[in-house]
Amino acid sequence: MSTSVLETIHGSHLYGLAHASSDVDSYLVLLEPKGFAKQVKSGDDDSLVVSLDRFVEQIGLGVPQALEALWSPVAEIP
């Protein structure tokens, strides 16, 4: 597994708007492999895993989920 650069929740849980049927959205940025992006769903968990280069590209394009992860007040940076 690659080195984690940033990990955060996003969506309704980030904003305190989650309800009983809300899934838990998370965003994970990895140092490698380059060009990687994958959505992983498991039960109530919905994770977006991207490489650092793709994350920076998405920020430049103004992708809302990437910007939300970049400015998240609950981001964990190892």
Side-chain angles (χ1 to χ4, degrees):
M1 184 85 173
S2 181
T3 302
S4 173
V5 178
L6 170 77
E7 185 170 5
T8 186
I9 59 169
H10 67 99
S12 61
H13 284 273
L14 177 63
Y15 296 110
L17 301 173
H19 49 79
S21 62
S22 294
D23 64 351
V24 178
D25 300 305
S26 63
Y27 203 102
L28 176 63
V29 180
L30 302 176
L31 191 56
E32 298 288 339
K34 292 188 178 207
F36 182 80
K38 182 177 182 179
Q39 185 170 8
V40 180
K41 291 186 178 187
S42 176
D44 286 341
D45 295 326
D46 185 0
S47 300
L48 183 59
V49 183
V50 299
S51 58
L52 181 58
D53 65 320
R54 290 290 298 270
F55 180 58
V56 171
E57 177 184 309
Q58 291 175 353
I59 290 167
L61 293 171
V63 174
Q65 293 86 348
L67 294 171
E68 189 175 76
L70 177 66
W71 296 107
S72 173
V74 297
E76 296 180 17
I77 303 170

